[in-house]
Amino acid sequence: MITKTYLRSLLRAVVLLFLTMLLFSCLQPGAGPREEFPEHRNRPRLNITELEKRIHALINKERKKHGLSALAWDGRLSNIARAHSRDMAKRNYFSHDSPEGWGFSERYKKAGFTCAVREGNRVYLGAENIFQNNLYDRVVITDGKKSFDWNTLEKIAQSTVQGWMNSPGHRKNILTPQLLSEGIGVAVSTDDKVYITQNFC
């Protein structure tokens, strides 16, 4: 025999189960209104390694234009450069010096890398270029919907190298004949900034 007490208990259990399932579905990643920019589903995947190598190739193209030898790719310098780019992306700063005041020479030392290119009585201890680019140039809003003008890998590489070549200090580092090798390191922040570090020896 089914009593009223049993039916009330059963009804409470069903309501509790329904509320639990509803709460669980609302907490799922990317559920409905929790996704602030659904247009970000079209965000392109940037091949970091390919971008680093493309920037390297464009740098050597600039050196060749000026009658200089190509810079050799150095994996150790690339690791140092990439670590600095990742740190800038993670901690939201853009500088040759970390928030602790460490420059590229301290980063070389910490990684166990020594740079000492000698020419006569002069010793070149390395150099560094940095650049902040973006995954997109603009956002267009139509009928309340956002669409992003995403940059291609090639455009990011070209604009980075062009930016350096248009800056006297960065240009000087790129065209210093005594520097023989380089490493490029790229990182992308959560707000779509592309941080690029170039280290020389």
Side-chain angles (χ1 to χ4, degrees):
M1 181 178 178
I2 300 175
T3 65
K4 289 182 180 179
T5 304
Y6 174 79
L7 287 173
R8 279 197 296 268
S9 297
L10 183 62
L11 182 60
R12 274 198 299 268
V14 170
V15 170
L16 183 60
L17 179 62
F18 175 78
L19 290 174
T20 301
M21 291 173 65
L22 182 64
L23 178 63
F24 182 78
S25 67
C26 289
L27 292 175
Q28 292 304 300
R34 291 173 61 86
E35 189 174 23
E36 187 178 0
F37 297 124
E39 301 87 352
H40 263 64
R41 286 183 299 230
N42 296 324
R43 179 185 184 190
R45 283 185 64 87
L46 190 65
N47 187 318
I48 298 297
T49 303
E50 190 177 330
L51 177 57
E52 291 169 350
K53 290 299 179 83
R54 183 58 185 146
I55 292 171
H56 174 64
L58 291 172
I59 289 295
N60 279 332
K61 188 175 178 182
E62 291 294 334
R63 285 187 50 107
K64 185 177 180 180
K65 279 187 204 173
H66 293 82
L68 300 174
S69 62
L71 292 170
W73 178 267
D74 191 307
R76 296 166 301 168
L77 283 174
S78 181
N79 288 337
I80 294 167
R82 197 176 298 120
H84 185 52
S85 290
R86 285 175 179 167
D87 191 50
M88 289 191 290
K90 183 179 179 180
R91 296 202 281 171
N92 192 31
Y93 72 94
F94 180 65
S95 172
H96 290 285
D97 295 333
S98 71
E100 296 77 19
W102 291 6
F104 79 86
S105 57
E106 285 86 4
R107 289 190 286 275
Y108 283 17
K109 186 176 180 181
K110 185 181 177 183
F113 182 86
T114 302
C115 179
V117 180
R118 298 181 181 276
E119 185 184 60
N121 294 326
R122 189 168 183 181
V123 179
Y124 292 83
L125 302 177
E128 180 178 84
N129 287 343
I130 58 174
F131 196 84
Q132 184 187 302
N133 218 311
N134 297 285
L135 281 185
Y136 60 87
D137 284 335
R138 63 184 181 135
V139 181
V140 178
I141 303 176
T142 307
D143 296 328
K145 293 183 179 179
K146 294 183 178 181
S147 62
F148 294 81
D149 184 14
W150 299 109
N151 288 322
T152 64
L153 182 149
E154 183 64 22
K155 186 173 180 181
I156 293 171
Q158 292 274 1
S159 58
T160 296
V161 174
Q162 199 55 55
W164 281 335
M165 292 303 292
N166 290 338
S167 167
H170 297 90
R171 179 188 178 91
K172 182 179 178 182
N173 286 339
I174 291 169
L175 300 181
T176 297
Q178 293 79 9
L179 296 174
L180 306 174
S181 61
E182 73 165 350
I184 306 288
V186 174
V188 181
S189 66
T190 55
D191 59 350
D192 299 328
K193 293 184 179 113
V194 183
Y195 292 87
I196 301 115
T197 303
Q198 178 184 33
N199 284 125
F200 301 88
C201 183

